Amino acid sequence: MASPRSVPHNSGTTLADLQDLERRYRRIPFEAILKQDLLRLGLRFDDQSIARSGLDFKQKDYFIFTFDHVPLADQGDQIRFRVPEEIRVRGGEFDLKSTIVSVRVNPASPYIVRASEQGPALYLEDVAGQSHSGNADAAERAEISPGTFLGLVDFPPVPGYYRHTTQSGKAPGEIAPVIEWGYLIYLTVFRNCQYFGKEEECAFCDINHNYRQQKQQGRPYTGVKSLA
Ligand code: SF4
């Protein structure tokens, strides 16, 4: 199995692209521009950014869709089922206000979360892979690394009720997963699309693909949720 880190970087976005978008769309908060690009291209994580956290954060529940760019089976052991549901990024090159972004794993993304002395930090590695940060204050707050420092990152807290299970032993994330930094409990009773066959599902939707992956990975995932 190929390590996600061995996959060539996606060259879809460079620092120059982000700066151009910031100039052209001044009426749009830059946080929204960056967020849509992070959702479009996904994220990579270096192993240390996850390991150093002690996994004391809410991991991605994969409760209906994956949104990932690669199957779980192709993700490294340090990444699979260990990445956070979302990241919250602030500061950095564009002095970002605190912004929460859903995690979509993509080993080829130019966006990477790395470990730093101040905790996880988000970087953009463009084609040249050079350091571009002109924000001295931002640079002081993170280790000097290739790429542009886009901000320090927090991982979401584990909701209190996640520490319990149902009477039948089911984990809360299987029945009532929480997203959006604890704001929204996502309840879906039926987690399959029954309208099409395997080759006919909408190309942008991975609801059935997620179901098959979770089963292949040995997770207690069911198409119809049941407390029993
Ligand atoms: S109809 Fe398409 S978008 Fe809707 S659940 Fe089925 S595959 Fe997904």
Side-chain angles (χ1 to χ4, degrees):
M1 182 187 307
S3 161
R5 300 180 71 184
S6 68
V7 178
H9 297 181
N10 186 314
S11 58
T13 296
T14 65
L15 178 63
D17 293 331
L18 293 182
Q19 290 169 332
D20 182 51
L21 289 168
E22 185 186 35
R23 275 192 300 272
R24 286 166 58 194
Y25 301 104
R26 291 194 182 282
R27 292 168 59 185
I28 300 176
F30 182 75
E31 289 81 359
I33 294 173
L34 180 65
K35 180 167 179 167
Q36 68 81 29
D37 206 42
L38 283 163
L39 293 174
R40 181 176 72 93
L41 293 178
L43 271 175
R44 289 182 286 143
F45 291 81
D46 78 359
D47 293 350
Q48 284 302 309
S49 69
I50 301 292
R52 283 195 205 172
S53 70
L55 297 183
D56 187 22
F57 58 86
K58 183 194 177 294
Q59 278 97 27
K60 192 165 166 167
D61 270 320
Y62 290 101
F63 50 86
I64 183 165
F65 308 115
T66 79
F67 296 113
D68 290 346
H69 293 232
V70 290
L72 285 162
D74 291 349
Q75 297 177 21
D77 292 342
Q78 297 300 314
I79 299 299
R80 188 186 312 109
F81 292 126
R82 292 163 67 102
V83 297
E85 192 78 66
E86 297 114 3
I87 62 167
R88 184 170 62 191
V89 57
R90 66 192 187 283
E93 179 79 13
F94 295 91
D95 195 22
L96 299 172
K97 294 184 176 64
S98 188
T99 304
I100 294 170
V101 187
S102 176
V103 167
R104 300 173 176 190
V105 175
N106 179 10
S109 174
Y111 295 103
I112 179 168
V113 175
R114 289 203 196 98
S116 79
E117 288 184 358
Q118 289 75 33
L122 179 66
Y123 289 83
L124 172 69
E125 290 183 349
D126 68 16
V127 178
Q130 297 171 342
S131 178
H132 298 278
S133 180
N135 184 329
D137 180 50
E140 282 178 10
R141 288 185 283 135
E143 293 177 347
I144 302 300
S145 311
T148 302
F149 172 58
L150 294 179
L152 292 176
V153 164
D154 296 315
F155 294 161
V158 180
Y161 72 89
Y162 263 52
R163 306 198 188 279
H164 304 280
T165 58
T166 66
Q167 287 183 343
S168 62
K170 288 198 171 179
E174 170 62 18
I175 302 297
V178 70
I179 57 173
E180 298 182 11
W181 220 261
Y183 168 75
L184 181 69
I185 293 178
Y186 199 109
L187 297 173
T188 314
V189 174
F190 186 49
R191 299 185 289 184
N192 288 120
C193 174
Q194 76 276 33
Y195 297 123
F196 303 110
K198 182 180 174 185
E199 305 301 327
E200 299 169 315
E201 297 152 4
C202 301
F204 58 83
C205 174
D206 71 354
I207 188 170
N208 287 348
H209 182 55
N210 184 46
Y211 175 85
R212 290 188 290 270
Q213 282 195 90
Q214 301 303 318
K215 299 304 266 186
Q216 285 168 3
Q217 293 292 326
R219 285 214 141 182
Y221 196 91
T222 54
V224 178
K225 284 185 182 176
S226 168
L227 289 173

